[in-house]
């Protein structure tokens, strides 16, 4: 098929490359000329593992333009533009509407069947109330005639976007009508390598399912973090044992059930807020979503208290891991950055930071409150207390030789229980989710 992907960002760029890798002719569109120029030159517009290789291998099926109207030359247009949250926490559709109107104007000048697919995260109800009228007005077509409308979000984790697109647990398709859904199912069936179930439904059901998945997953994370907090106060407890067994119950499942620190990134933190806004707008409440969010917001303070309890006067702190999760350089809502900022507010005199890919991005956010380091070893050398905030694999093997001649062993706060037990010789290891001396009531 000929597919236009509008928005060549963290999701759109990998989707364009994945679609091209399965034989589709893909037109990548973005208002940012730099993203388009990169695609045209065979350079991945964003950093994502495996993306550059896919772009290079499929360059002949990937073209780019800043002209949104050109999407009309394709059979399907997939929109992956931002839907930033407003001050209430609701997702906003201004970028989507702008994109849809321009795509619609292109469609007005052409014949032939076309499906517009919204893949951005939207408030449930958006497709019917705002997006359908906008595309109908701009294109002069009626949805259901020569125009189909689908809502089909991606379920991906940054750092694993390509694999997640090729092997999704399910493909969710909200559809205006069967022809639109059939067209999109045919496209995605040709992309998926694992024969996933397709769930086809109304537009609003798909919109609600997307946000329900994320609020449910984050509820599990906040639940596990609550267990970790309890275990830190309960003599002999170990959150890993508890969640390990809990997850074996098939009614619960073990994924995302890991007691550690806050979830972050561009999606999870805003989904519960939007869910709660939706409930309020519908005249009800969503206390589970509100509690999930409130528990998450409390996690950086919980961690800062653990760190401060380990600090002597004038001690320095190191933060290892500044991206919000491993295998990505994204620093939005990063727990490592939140911790560094809280420690600075508390008057910690020196905060040393390092991340395998995100040190520069984090330094832009933190400014001069943190000292950027070139390696985990440098952080160790300069710091009395070191926190492993992001579970990058390299942090499981800290270079002990860098602290061998220190009089006082550095404290390492291991939020994800990465370190091998034999490192207890080199460091004083504090494992979150196990009893903390400072927390257990005597
Ligand atoms: N990043 C994630 O992990 C993730 C996961 C699930 C869902 N989503 C959702 O997917 C959507 C896109 O997210 P993202 O992370 O890829 O965003 P992004 O900010 O990385 O990229 C968005 C791209 O859209 C372009 N753009 C903005 N306005 C445009 C317009 N009017 N026309 C054409 N291009 C335009 C931008 O220049 C940018 O390149 C959002 O709704 C987001 O909530 C993101």
């Amino acid at each position: 098929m000929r597919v236009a992907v509008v928005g060549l960002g963290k999701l759109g760029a990998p989707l364009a490359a994945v679609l091209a890798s399965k034989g589709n002719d893909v037109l990548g569109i973005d208002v940012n000329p730099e993203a388009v120029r990169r695609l045209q030159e065979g350079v991945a517009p964003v950093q994502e593992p495996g993306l550059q290789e896919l772009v290079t291998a499929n360059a002949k099926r990937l073209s780019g333009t800043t002209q949104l109207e050109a999407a009309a030359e394709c059979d399907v247009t997939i929109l992956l533009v931002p839907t930033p949250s407003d001050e209430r926490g609701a997702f906003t559709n201004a970028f989507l509407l702008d994109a849809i109107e321009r795509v619609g104007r292109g469609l007005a000048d052409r014949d032939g069947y076309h499906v517009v697919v919204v893949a951005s995260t939207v408030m449930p109800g958006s497709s019917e109330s705002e997006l359908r009228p906008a595309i109908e007005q701009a294109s002069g077509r009626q949805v259901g005639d020569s125009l189909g409308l689908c809502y089909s979000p991606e379920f991906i984790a940054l750092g694993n976007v390509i694999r997640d697109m090729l092997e999704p647990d399910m493909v969710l398709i909200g559809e205006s009508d069967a022809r639109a859904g059939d067209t999109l199912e045919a496209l995605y069936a040709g992309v998926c390598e694992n024969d996933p179930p397709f769930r086809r439904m109304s537009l609003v059901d798909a919109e609600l399912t997307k946000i329900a998945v994320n609020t449910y997953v984050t509820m599990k994370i906040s639940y596990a973090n609550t267990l970790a907090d309890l275990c830190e106060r309960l003599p002999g407890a170990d959150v890993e044992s508890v969640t390990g067994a809990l997850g074996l119950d098939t009614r619960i499942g073990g994924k995302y059930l890991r007691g550690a620190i806050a979830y972050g990134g561009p999606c999870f933190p805003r989904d519960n807020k939007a869910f709660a806004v939706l409930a309020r707008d519908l005249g009800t409440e969503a206390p589970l979503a509100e509690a999930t969010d409130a528990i998450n917001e409390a996690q950086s303070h919980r961690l800062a208290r653990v760190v401060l309890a380990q600090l002597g006067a004038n001690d320095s702190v190191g933060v290892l891991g500044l991206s919000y999760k491993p295998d990505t350089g994204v620093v939005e809502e990063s727990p490592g950055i939140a911790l560094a900022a809280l420690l600075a507010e508390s008057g910690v005199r020196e905060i040393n930071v390092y991340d395998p890919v995100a040190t520069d991005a984090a330094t832009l956010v933190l400014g001069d409150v943190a000292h950027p380091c070139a390696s985990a070893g440098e952080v160790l050398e300069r710091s009395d207390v070191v926190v492993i905030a992001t579970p990058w694999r390299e942090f499981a093997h800290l270079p002990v030789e860098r602290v061998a001649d220190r009089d006082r062993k550095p404290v390492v706060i291991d939020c994800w229980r990465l370190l091998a037990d034999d490192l207890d010789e080199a460091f004083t290891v504090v494992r979150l989710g196990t009893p903390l001396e400072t927390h257990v009531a005597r």
Side-chain angles (χ1 to χ4, degrees):
M1 273 188 219
R2 288 167 305 161
V3 186
V5 176
V6 179
L8 297 171
K10 295 183 285 298
L11 259 61
L15 182 62
V18 163
L19 289 166
S21 75
K22 297 297 178 184
N24 299 289
D25 285 318
V26 178
L27 178 61
I29 308 182
D30 203 295
V31 288
N32 175 3
E34 178 61 15
V36 172
R37 187 188 61 74
R38 290 174 73 99
L39 189 70
Q40 285 168 329
E41 291 175 1
V43 179
V46 297
Q47 292 289 325
E48 176 62 32
L51 178 58
Q52 183 58 57
E53 291 80 344
L54 269 194
V55 169
T56 304
N58 298 285
K60 68 176 187 305
R61 279 190 294 275
L62 282 166
S63 54
T65 179
T66 54
Q67 298 303 312
L68 276 88
E69 293 77 6
E73 296 160 14
C74 299
D75 307 303
V76 174
T77 297
I78 304 177
L79 298 154
L80 263 165
V81 300
T83 48
S85 302
D86 67 14
E87 65 289 346
R88 293 193 315 147
F91 307 125
T92 54
N93 292 337
F95 294 105
L96 261 182
L97 287 168
D98 174 63
I100 273 196
E101 278 160 19
R102 293 184 59 188
V103 171
R105 284 205 293 275
L107 288 169
D109 296 335
R110 300 181 80 92
D111 300 322
Y113 186 66
H114 193 97
V115 181
V116 172
V117 182
V118 176
S120 303
T121 309
V122 297
M123 293 303 282
S126 294
S127 294
E128 290 293 358
S129 67
E130 291 188 56
L131 308 179
R132 178 198 286 255
I135 190 74
E136 286 185 338
Q137 196 184 357
S139 67
R141 303 187 190 193
Q142 290 297 304
V143 168
D145 292 343
S146 62
L147 180 63
L149 179 62
C150 289
Y151 176 75
S152 183
E154 298 291 339
F155 296 96
I156 53 83
L158 293 182
N160 204 40
V161 174
I162 289 167
R163 225 358 72 206
D164 289 343
M165 285 175 173
L166 292 171
E167 295 178 6
D169 287 350
M170 63 149 167
V171 178
L172 179 65
I173 297 180
E175 60 196 42
S176 57
D177 56 275
R179 185 178 179 194
D182 288 347
T183 305
L184 190 57
E185 177 163 350
L187 176 65
Y188 281 147
V191 165
C192 299
E193 294 178 350
N194 61 338
D195 196 19
F198 280 72
R199 280 287 175 271
R200 291 175 50 176
M201 55 189 71
S202 68
L203 293 161
V204 69
D205 283 347
E207 292 165 335
L208 184 57
T209 304
K210 162 65 185 171
I211 176 169
V213 166
N214 284 8
T215 52
Y216 198 91
V217 168
T218 47
M219 184 176 69
K220 287 180 80 175
I221 299 173
S222 280
Y223 190 87
N225 283 338
T226 304
L227 283 174
D229 188 20
L230 295 186
C231 290
E232 286 158 15
R233 296 157 196 278
L234 200 57
D238 180 346
V239 75
E240 216 62 80
S241 306
V242 179
T243 54
L246 189 60
L248 291 176
D249 188 317
T250 53
R251 293 170 300 176
I252 298 170
K255 284 189 179 170
Y256 286 82
L257 200 61
R258 186 105 198 268
I261 56 175
Y263 54 77
C267 289
F268 277 174
R270 62 195 200 111
D271 290 333
N272 285 290
K273 293 182 188 3
F275 195 79
V277 169
L278 174 71
R280 283 198 292 279
D281 285 351
L282 294 172
T284 185
E285 288 176 12
L288 282 176
E290 288 180 25
T292 300
D293 190 39
I295 292 167
N296 197 56
E297 296 211 337
Q299 295 312 303
S300 293
H301 296 275
R302 165 178 154 245
L303 178 57
R305 280 195 298 277
V306 173
V307 177
L308 291 170
Q310 296 294 332
L311 284 186
N314 276 331
D315 275 357
S316 55
V317 176
V319 178
L320 292 175
L322 304 162
S323 60
Y324 84 96
K325 64 189 279 296
D327 301 321
T328 175
V330 174
V331 297
E332 262 173 277
E333 302 276 338
S334 146
I337 292 180
L339 174 67
L342 281 175
L343 294 175
E345 266 171 48
S346 304
V348 174
R349 77 170 168 89
E350 181 181 331
I351 303 167
N352 303 299
V353 298
Y354 168 74
D355 186 278
V357 299
T359 308
D360 290 347
T363 307
L364 284 178
V365 180
L366 287 167
D368 56 10
V369 306
H371 173 84
C373 294
S375 66
E378 188 188 343
V379 169
L380 273 182
E381 267 177 13
R382 295 178 61 104
S383 312
D384 300 296
V385 175
V386 173
V387 183
I388 303 177
T390 313
W392 285 97
R393 275 176 296 279
E394 71 166 77
F395 296 152
H397 308 284
L398 293 179
V400 286
E401 66 284 357
R402 302 286 285 260
V403 292
D405 54 3
R406 288 258 283 268
D407 295 340
R408 183 177 138 213
K409 287 199 288 188
V411 175
V412 178
I413 299 177
D414 185 2
C415 299
W416 297 89
R417 299 167 295 282
L418 288 186
L419 294 181
D421 287 344
D422 59 5
L423 291 182
D424 282 353
E425 301 260 308
F427 310 121
T428 301
V429 180
V430 173
R431 291 183 175 80
L432 288 198
T434 65
L436 304 181
E437 247 178 60
T438 44
H439 285 34
V440 176
R442 287 166 212 278

